[in-house]
mmCIF file of all heavy atoms in Angstrom:
data_model
loop_
_atom_site.group_PDB
_atom_site.id
_atom_site.type_symbol
_atom_site.label_atom_id
_atom_site.label_comp_id
_atom_site.label_asym_id
_atom_site.label_seq_id
_atom_site.Cartn_x
_atom_site.Cartn_y
_atom_site.Cartn_z
ATOM 1 N N TRP A 3 28.203 -89.030 -17.116
ATOM 2 C CA TRP A 3 27.140 -88.142 -17.561
ATOM 3 C C TRP A 3 26.285 -87.802 -16.357
ATOM 4 O O TRP A 3 25.816 -88.693 -15.647
ATOM 5 C CB TRP A 3 26.302 -88.818 -18.647
ATOM 6 C CG TRP A 3 25.199 -87.964 -19.175
ATOM 7 C CD1 TRP A 3 25.316 -86.894 -20.002
ATOM 8 C CD2 TRP A 3 23.797 -88.109 -18.920
ATOM 9 N NE1 TRP A 3 24.087 -86.364 -20.278
ATOM 10 C CE2 TRP A 3 23.128 -87.092 -19.621
ATOM 11 C CE3 TRP A 3 23.046 -88.995 -18.156
ATOM 12 C CZ2 TRP A 3 21.757 -86.936 -19.589
ATOM 13 C CZ3 TRP A 3 21.675 -88.841 -18.124
ATOM 14 C CH2 TRP A 3 21.046 -87.817 -18.845
ATOM 15 N N CYS A 4 26.088 -86.548 -16.107
ATOM 16 C CA CYS A 4 25.352 -86.125 -14.921
ATOM 17 C C CYS A 4 24.475 -84.928 -15.280
ATOM 18 O O CYS A 4 24.961 -83.798 -15.346
ATOM 19 C CB CYS A 4 26.326 -85.749 -13.815
ATOM 20 S SG CYS A 4 25.507 -85.311 -12.278
ATOM 21 N N PRO A 5 23.180 -85.159 -15.531
ATOM 22 C CA PRO A 5 22.310 -84.031 -15.853
ATOM 23 C C PRO A 5 22.131 -83.124 -14.642
ATOM 24 O O PRO A 5 22.189 -83.572 -13.494
ATOM 25 C CB PRO A 5 20.991 -84.696 -16.248
ATOM 26 C CG PRO A 5 21.012 -86.021 -15.582
ATOM 27 C CD PRO A 5 22.455 -86.428 -15.486
ATOM 28 N N HIS A 6 21.932 -81.856 -14.891
ATOM 29 C CA HIS A 6 21.718 -80.862 -13.851
ATOM 30 C C HIS A 6 20.217 -80.653 -13.680
ATOM 31 O O HIS A 6 19.512 -80.389 -14.656
ATOM 32 C CB HIS A 6 22.379 -79.536 -14.241
ATOM 33 C CG HIS A 6 23.867 -79.633 -14.340
ATOM 34 N ND1 HIS A 6 24.713 -78.928 -13.528
ATOM 35 C CD2 HIS A 6 24.674 -80.373 -15.153
ATOM 36 C CE1 HIS A 6 25.962 -79.212 -13.833
ATOM 37 N NE2 HIS A 6 25.963 -80.083 -14.821
ATOM 38 N N VAL A 7 19.741 -80.754 -12.446
ATOM 39 C CA VAL A 7 18.323 -80.536 -12.153
ATOM 40 C C VAL A 7 18.119 -79.052 -11.885
ATOM 41 O O VAL A 7 18.782 -78.469 -11.016
ATOM 42 C CB VAL A 7 17.857 -81.373 -10.944
ATOM 43 C CG1 VAL A 7 16.401 -81.068 -10.612
ATOM 44 C CG2 VAL A 7 18.051 -82.852 -11.224
ATOM 45 N N THR A 8 17.217 -78.453 -12.666
ATOM 46 C CA THR A 8 16.928 -77.032 -12.503
ATOM 47 C C THR A 8 15.423 -76.812 -12.393
ATOM 48 O O THR A 8 14.626 -77.674 -12.748
ATOM 49 C CB THR A 8 17.471 -76.195 -13.690
ATOM 50 O OG1 THR A 8 16.823 -76.615 -14.890
ATOM 51 C CG2 THR A 8 18.980 -76.353 -13.833
ATOM 52 N N ASN A 33 15.699 -64.741 -19.248
ATOM 53 C CA ASN A 33 15.335 -66.070 -18.783
ATOM 54 C C ASN A 33 14.186 -65.942 -17.789
ATOM 55 O O ASN A 33 13.948 -64.858 -17.254
ATOM 56 C CB ASN A 33 16.538 -66.736 -18.083
ATOM 57 C CG ASN A 33 16.397 -68.241 -17.930
ATOM 58 O OD1 ASN A 33 15.505 -68.864 -18.498
ATOM 59 N ND2 ASN A 33 17.293 -68.822 -17.160
ATOM 60 N N ILE A 69 8.043 -80.658 -17.724
ATOM 61 C CA ILE A 69 9.393 -81.098 -17.384
ATOM 62 C C ILE A 69 10.141 -81.220 -18.712
ATOM 63 O O ILE A 69 9.674 -81.878 -19.640
ATOM 64 C CB ILE A 69 9.378 -82.436 -16.627
ATOM 65 C CG1 ILE A 69 8.579 -82.276 -15.331
ATOM 66 C CG2 ILE A 69 10.793 -82.918 -16.352
ATOM 67 C CD1 ILE A 69 8.298 -83.576 -14.607
ATOM 68 N N TYR A 70 11.287 -80.579 -18.788
ATOM 69 C CA TYR A 70 12.018 -80.443 -20.049
ATOM 70 C C TYR A 70 13.421 -81.007 -19.917
ATOM 71 O O TYR A 70 14.068 -80.832 -18.887
ATOM 72 C CB TYR A 70 12.107 -78.955 -20.435
ATOM 73 C CG TYR A 70 10.766 -78.290 -20.528
ATOM 74 C CD1 TYR A 70 10.112 -77.826 -19.394
ATOM 75 C CD2 TYR A 70 10.131 -78.147 -21.761
ATOM 76 C CE1 TYR A 70 8.863 -77.230 -19.483
ATOM 77 C CE2 TYR A 70 8.885 -77.549 -21.855
ATOM 78 C CZ TYR A 70 8.260 -77.099 -20.712
ATOM 79 O OH TYR A 70 7.016 -76.509 -20.799
ATOM 80 N N LEU A 71 13.888 -81.650 -20.958
ATOM 81 C CA LEU A 71 15.264 -82.115 -21.044
ATOM 82 C C LEU A 71 15.933 -81.307 -22.146
ATOM 83 O O LEU A 71 15.449 -81.268 -23.282
ATOM 84 C CB LEU A 71 15.297 -83.611 -21.371
ATOM 85 C CG LEU A 71 16.594 -84.346 -21.078
ATOM 86 C CD1 LEU A 71 16.962 -84.238 -19.599
ATOM 87 C CD2 LEU A 71 16.473 -85.798 -21.483
ATOM 88 N N TYR A 72 17.025 -80.644 -21.799
ATOM 89 C CA TYR A 72 17.667 -79.721 -22.738
ATOM 90 C C TYR A 72 19.180 -79.879 -22.634
ATOM 91 O O TYR A 72 19.736 -79.841 -21.533
ATOM 92 C CB TYR A 72 17.268 -78.287 -22.390
ATOM 93 C CG TYR A 72 17.965 -77.239 -23.215
ATOM 94 C CD1 TYR A 72 17.612 -77.012 -24.543
ATOM 95 C CD2 TYR A 72 18.982 -76.459 -22.663
ATOM 96 C CE1 TYR A 72 18.258 -76.053 -25.303
ATOM 97 C CE2 TYR A 72 19.625 -75.490 -23.422
ATOM 98 C CZ TYR A 72 19.265 -75.295 -24.733
ATOM 99 O OH TYR A 72 19.893 -74.342 -25.485
ATOM 100 N N THR A 73 19.831 -80.057 -23.760
ATOM 101 C CA THR A 73 21.288 -80.084 -23.807
ATOM 102 C C THR A 73 21.761 -78.795 -24.451
ATOM 103 O O THR A 73 21.419 -78.492 -25.598
ATOM 104 C CB THR A 73 21.811 -81.307 -24.588
ATOM 105 O OG1 THR A 73 21.320 -82.486 -23.942
ATOM 106 C CG2 THR A 73 23.326 -81.332 -24.609
ATOM 107 N N ALA A 74 22.502 -78.026 -23.674
ATOM 108 C CA ALA A 74 22.982 -76.723 -24.149
ATOM 109 C C ALA A 74 24.033 -76.908 -25.222
ATOM 110 O O ALA A 74 25.046 -77.583 -24.996
ATOM 111 C CB ALA A 74 23.556 -75.929 -22.981
ATOM 112 N N PRO A 75 23.823 -76.314 -26.407
ATOM 113 C CA PRO A 75 24.826 -76.455 -27.473
ATOM 114 C C PRO A 75 26.141 -75.769 -27.132
ATOM 115 O O PRO A 75 27.190 -76.161 -27.641
ATOM 116 C CB PRO A 75 24.152 -75.813 -28.688
ATOM 117 C CG PRO A 75 22.994 -75.054 -28.181
ATOM 118 C CD PRO A 75 22.653 -75.564 -26.821
ATOM 119 N N SER A 76 26.106 -74.793 -26.235
ATOM 120 C CA SER A 76 27.325 -74.046 -25.915
ATOM 121 C C SER A 76 28.330 -74.861 -25.112
ATOM 122 O O SER A 76 29.538 -74.657 -25.239
ATOM 123 C CB SER A 76 26.975 -72.770 -25.141
ATOM 124 O OG SER A 76 26.341 -73.108 -23.911
ATOM 125 N N ASN A 77 27.820 -75.798 -24.270
ATOM 126 C CA ASN A 77 28.751 -76.544 -23.427
ATOM 127 C C ASN A 77 28.464 -78.046 -23.350
ATOM 128 O O ASN A 77 29.192 -78.771 -22.683
ATOM 129 C CB ASN A 77 28.787 -75.947 -22.015
ATOM 130 C CG ASN A 77 27.434 -75.995 -21.329
ATOM 131 O OD1 ASN A 77 26.498 -76.659 -21.776
ATOM 132 N ND2 ASN A 77 27.317 -75.272 -20.224
ATOM 133 N N GLY A 78 27.397 -78.508 -23.988
ATOM 134 C CA GLY A 78 27.062 -79.923 -23.987
ATOM 135 C C GLY A 78 26.457 -80.438 -22.692
ATOM 136 O O GLY A 78 26.220 -81.638 -22.553
ATOM 137 N N VAL A 79 26.205 -79.549 -21.742
ATOM 138 C CA VAL A 79 25.615 -79.953 -20.461
ATOM 139 C C VAL A 79 24.120 -80.186 -20.650
ATOM 140 O O VAL A 79 23.440 -79.404 -21.322
ATOM 141 C CB VAL A 79 25.873 -78.890 -19.369
ATOM 142 C CG1 VAL A 79 25.120 -79.228 -18.082
ATOM 143 C CG2 VAL A 79 27.364 -78.755 -19.103
ATOM 144 N N THR A 80 23.612 -81.259 -20.050
ATOM 145 C CA THR A 80 22.188 -81.572 -20.115
ATOM 146 C C THR A 80 21.513 -81.097 -18.829
ATOM 147 O O THR A 80 22.012 -81.345 -17.729
ATOM 148 C CB THR A 80 21.967 -83.085 -20.307
ATOM 149 O OG1 THR A 80 22.563 -83.465 -21.546
ATOM 150 C CG2 THR A 80 20.484 -83.428 -20.334
ATOM 151 N N TYR A 81 20.385 -80.424 -19.012
ATOM 152 C CA TYR A 81 19.604 -79.896 -17.900
ATOM 153 C C TYR A 81 18.220 -80.522 -17.922
ATOM 154 O O TYR A 81 17.609 -80.651 -18.985
ATOM 155 C CB TYR A 81 19.446 -78.375 -18.023
ATOM 156 C CG TYR A 81 20.764 -77.641 -18.003
ATOM 157 C CD1 TYR A 81 21.459 -77.397 -19.184
ATOM 158 C CD2 TYR A 81 21.327 -77.207 -16.810
ATOM 159 C CE1 TYR A 81 22.681 -76.728 -19.176
ATOM 160 C CE2 TYR A 81 22.544 -76.537 -16.795
ATOM 161 C CZ TYR A 81 23.214 -76.300 -17.985
ATOM 162 O OH TYR A 81 24.416 -75.644 -17.960
ATOM 163 N N GLN A 82 17.737 -80.916 -16.751
ATOM 164 C CA GLN A 82 16.337 -81.299 -16.612
ATOM 165 C C GLN A 82 15.669 -80.163 -15.869
ATOM 166 O O GLN A 82 15.998 -79.869 -14.724
ATOM 167 C CB GLN A 82 16.169 -82.599 -15.835
ATOM 168 C CG GLN A 82 14.705 -82.978 -15.735
ATOM 169 C CD GLN A 82 14.500 -84.259 -14.952
ATOM 170 O OE1 GLN A 82 15.292 -84.634 -14.102
ATOM 171 N NE2 GLN A 82 13.410 -84.932 -15.254
ATOM 172 N N ARG A 83 14.754 -79.485 -16.555
ATOM 173 C CA ARG A 83 14.082 -78.307 -16.005
ATOM 174 C C ARG A 83 12.651 -78.669 -15.637
ATOM 175 O O ARG A 83 11.905 -79.175 -16.469
ATOM 176 C CB ARG A 83 14.068 -77.185 -17.038
ATOM 177 C CG ARG A 83 13.236 -75.971 -16.627
ATOM 178 C CD ARG A 83 13.085 -74.972 -17.755
ATOM 179 N NE ARG A 83 14.084 -73.935 -17.630
ATOM 180 C CZ ARG A 83 13.916 -72.697 -18.069
ATOM 181 N NH1 ARG A 83 12.801 -72.343 -18.687
ATOM 182 N NH2 ARG A 83 14.859 -71.803 -17.929
ATOM 183 N N VAL A 84 12.289 -78.386 -14.400
ATOM 184 C CA VAL A 84 10.904 -78.486 -13.968
ATOM 185 C C VAL A 84 10.377 -77.056 -13.940
ATOM 186 O O VAL A 84 10.883 -76.212 -13.194
ATOM 187 C CB VAL A 84 10.777 -79.147 -12.575
ATOM 188 C CG1 VAL A 84 9.317 -79.214 -12.150
ATOM 189 C CG2 VAL A 84 11.416 -80.535 -12.590
ATOM 190 N N TRP A 121 17.493 -64.672 -25.745
ATOM 191 C CA TRP A 121 17.035 -65.764 -24.889
ATOM 192 C C TRP A 121 18.230 -66.519 -24.332
ATOM 193 O O TRP A 121 19.174 -66.807 -25.056
ATOM 194 C CB TRP A 121 16.176 -66.748 -25.656
ATOM 195 C CG TRP A 121 14.981 -66.184 -26.355
ATOM 196 C CD1 TRP A 121 14.353 -64.992 -26.126
ATOM 197 C CD2 TRP A 121 14.264 -66.795 -27.427
ATOM 198 N NE1 TRP A 121 13.301 -64.832 -26.978
ATOM 199 C CE2 TRP A 121 13.220 -65.931 -27.794
ATOM 200 C CE3 TRP A 121 14.414 -67.995 -28.114
ATOM 201 C CZ2 TRP A 121 12.322 -66.231 -28.809
ATOM 202 C CZ3 TRP A 121 13.520 -68.304 -29.123
ATOM 203 C CH2 TRP A 121 12.482 -67.423 -29.464
ATOM 204 N N ARG A 122 18.166 -66.876 -23.072
ATOM 205 C CA ARG A 122 19.235 -67.718 -22.490
ATOM 206 C C ARG A 122 19.257 -69.058 -23.199
ATOM 207 O O ARG A 122 20.315 -69.611 -23.456
ATOM 208 C CB ARG A 122 19.010 -67.884 -20.993
ATOM 209 C CG ARG A 122 19.943 -68.899 -20.369
ATOM 210 C CD ARG A 122 20.767 -68.345 -19.286
ATOM 211 N NE ARG A 122 21.740 -69.339 -18.833
ATOM 212 C CZ ARG A 122 22.104 -69.472 -17.601
ATOM 213 N NH1 ARG A 122 21.597 -68.685 -16.679
ATOM 214 N NH2 ARG A 122 23.006 -70.361 -17.270
ATOM 215 N N SER A 123 18.085 -69.591 -23.487
ATOM 216 C CA SER A 123 17.967 -70.813 -24.283
ATOM 217 C C SER A 123 16.599 -70.812 -24.948
ATOM 218 O O SER A 123 15.742 -69.979 -24.632
ATOM 219 C CB SER A 123 18.117 -72.072 -23.409
ATOM 220 O OG SER A 123 16.920 -72.333 -22.694
ATOM 221 N N GLU A 124 16.386 -71.760 -25.830
ATOM 222 C CA GLU A 124 15.087 -71.878 -26.497
ATOM 223 C C GLU A 124 13.966 -72.207 -25.520
ATOM 224 O O GLU A 124 12.791 -72.026 -25.830
ATOM 225 C CB GLU A 124 15.159 -72.943 -27.584
ATOM 226 C CG GLU A 124 15.368 -74.330 -27.023
ATOM 227 C CD GLU A 124 15.601 -75.392 -28.076
ATOM 228 O OE1 GLU A 124 16.292 -75.136 -29.063
ATOM 229 O OE2 GLU A 124 15.077 -76.501 -27.873
ATOM 230 N N LEU A 125 14.313 -72.687 -24.334
ATOM 231 C CA LEU A 125 13.292 -73.030 -23.339
ATOM 232 C C LEU A 125 12.536 -71.810 -22.824
ATOM 233 O O LEU A 125 11.417 -71.941 -22.349
ATOM 234 C CB LEU A 125 13.922 -73.773 -22.159
ATOM 235 C CG LEU A 125 14.412 -75.189 -22.423
ATOM 236 C CD1 LEU A 125 15.010 -75.792 -21.159
ATOM 237 C CD2 LEU A 125 13.297 -76.070 -22.963
ATOM 238 N N VAL A 126 13.118 -70.639 -22.930
ATOM 239 C CA VAL A 126 12.471 -69.434 -22.404
ATOM 240 C C VAL A 126 11.113 -69.219 -23.076
ATOM 241 O O VAL A 126 10.084 -69.128 -22.408
ATOM 242 C CB VAL A 126 13.374 -68.192 -22.552
ATOM 243 C CG1 VAL A 126 12.682 -66.950 -22.021
ATOM 244 C CG2 VAL A 126 14.705 -68.407 -21.836
ATOM 245 N N ARG A 128 9.651 -71.398 -25.197
ATOM 246 C CA ARG A 128 8.907 -72.666 -25.224
ATOM 247 C C ARG A 128 8.075 -72.858 -23.954
ATOM 248 O O ARG A 128 6.918 -73.288 -24.025
ATOM 249 C CB ARG A 128 9.877 -73.834 -25.395
ATOM 250 C CG ARG A 128 9.185 -75.163 -25.498
ATOM 251 C CD ARG A 128 10.160 -76.273 -25.803
ATOM 252 N NE ARG A 128 9.494 -77.554 -25.726
ATOM 253 C CZ ARG A 128 10.117 -78.685 -25.561
ATOM 254 N NH1 ARG A 128 11.428 -78.713 -25.489
ATOM 255 N NH2 ARG A 128 9.452 -79.808 -25.487
ATOM 256 N N CYS A 129 8.638 -72.549 -22.805
ATOM 257 C CA CYS A 129 7.889 -72.702 -21.548
ATOM 258 C C CYS A 129 6.693 -71.754 -21.496
ATOM 259 O O CYS A 129 5.611 -72.140 -21.044
ATOM 260 C CB CYS A 129 8.805 -72.475 -20.351
ATOM 261 S SG CYS A 129 9.976 -73.822 -20.059
#
Side-chain angles (χ1 to χ4, degrees):
W3 181 74
C4 184
H6 296 243
V7 177
T8 62
N33 197 10
I69 300 170
Y70 304 82
L71 198 59
Y72 175 74
T73 301
S76 62
N77 61 12
V79 173
T80 298
Y81 299 89
Q82 181 181 26
R83 173 188 264 209
V84 179
W121 304 341
R122 171 122 186 216
S123 78
E124 66 187 39
L125 290 180
V126 179
R128 183 174 173 200
C129 287

